[in-house]
């Protein structure tokens, strides 16, 4: 069992570039968003083009924090339960140290989002170094794979 534990932040923030919105309108993302198959890059571009995003799903809000001026959310219930998950509150507290109420528009402070992105990136890189050092191995993608989900393990003396 590890002797130390650390909260790294939401790793997915690393996938969302800091960009400027181009569409003055508001984008509404419903709870069924998770059930649709979409190209991830196009989805990110679509979400990040709007000035305001309101979502019933957590990760579209996380994506929008890197571009939108304002975001709001509708709280999620835990799967198969009527109890709210608290995921949005936890995310906002983690990033901003405060959380809006469900349905309340929240003004995004981009410099705080950038700091959070830097923190998460640094933390994940430190974790990667720790794992490589601990295992004495490196991870590499198979050349024929295009997904980061397909890893093979190569010992460090083979690199």
């Amino acid at each position: 069992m590890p002797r130390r534990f650390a909260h790294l932040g939401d790793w997915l923030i690393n996938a969302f570039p800091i960009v400027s919105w181009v569409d003055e309108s508001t984008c509404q993302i419903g709870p069924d968003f998770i059930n649709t198959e979409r190209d991830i890059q196009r989805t990110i571009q679509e979400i990040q083009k709007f000035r305001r995003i309101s979502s019933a799903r957590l990760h579209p809000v996380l994506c929008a924090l890197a571009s939108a001026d304002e975001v709001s959310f509708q709280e999620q219930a835990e799967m198969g339960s009527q109890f709210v998950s608290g995921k949005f509150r936890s995310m906002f507290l983690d990033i901003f140290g405060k959380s809006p109420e469900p349905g309340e528009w929240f003004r995004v402070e981009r410099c705080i989002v950038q700091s959070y992105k830097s923190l998460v990136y640094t933390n994940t890189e430190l974790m990667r170094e720790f794992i490589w050092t601990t295992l004495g191995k490196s991870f590499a993608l198979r050349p024929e794979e295009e997904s980061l989900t397909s890893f093979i393990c190569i010992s460090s003396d083979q690199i």
Side-chain angles (χ1 to χ4, degrees):
M1 185 142 127
R3 288 180 281 171
R4 294 180 296 177
F5 297 93
H7 173 63
L8 302 177
D10 192 324
W11 302 6
L12 195 54
I13 192 77
N14 292 330
F16 307 134
I18 299 285
V19 296
S20 298
W21 55 269
V22 295
D23 188 328
E24 184 74 33
S25 59
T26 299
C27 176
Q28 179 70 41
I29 299 173
D32 60 337
F33 176 80
I34 197 169
N35 297 325
T36 58
E37 288 191 33
R38 304 168 194 245
D39 174 78
I40 188 67
Q41 293 301 333
R42 292 195 198 292
T43 301
I44 291 169
Q45 288 174 341
E46 183 66 20
I47 290 169
Q48 289 193 325
K49 78 179 189 181
F50 292 97
R51 180 177 167 267
R52 294 172 55 152
I53 301 285
S54 180
S55 178
R57 306 299 313 174
L58 181 71
H59 290 112
V61 172
L62 183 64
C63 176
L65 292 177
S67 60
D69 282 346
E70 294 180 300
V71 296
S72 80
F73 65 91
Q74 299 80 53
E75 188 61 77
Q76 295 173 246
E78 280 298 329
M79 298 287 230
S81 165
Q82 77 274 15
F83 299 107
V84 295
S85 68
K87 293 175 186 177
F88 286 101
R89 182 178 185 281
S90 294
M91 179 187 71
F92 278 98
L93 288 174
D94 193 32
I95 299 170
F96 299 102
K98 58 187 175 184
S99 177
E101 294 297 318
E104 177 185 341
W105 286 103
F106 181 83
R107 179 92 174 133
V108 177
E109 297 175 62
R110 194 84 59 241
C111 61
I112 294 175
V113 175
Q114 182 60 57
S115 293
Y116 181 74
K117 279 180 62 82
S118 295
L119 173 72
V120 171
Y121 179 80
T122 299
N123 286 345
T124 53
E125 288 302 305
L126 288 171
M127 179 193 62
R128 183 188 330 265
E129 281 181 36
F130 175 77
I131 291 171
W132 287 351
T133 302
T134 302
L135 297 177
K137 299 181 180 191
S138 296
F139 295 93
L141 287 174
R142 293 183 185 146
E144 68 276 5
E145 296 293 337
E146 297 198 17
S147 168
L148 291 177
T149 58
S150 303
F151 289 101
I152 58 173
C153 195
I154 302 171
S155 66
S156 56
D157 59 339
Q158 293 176 311
I159 295 178

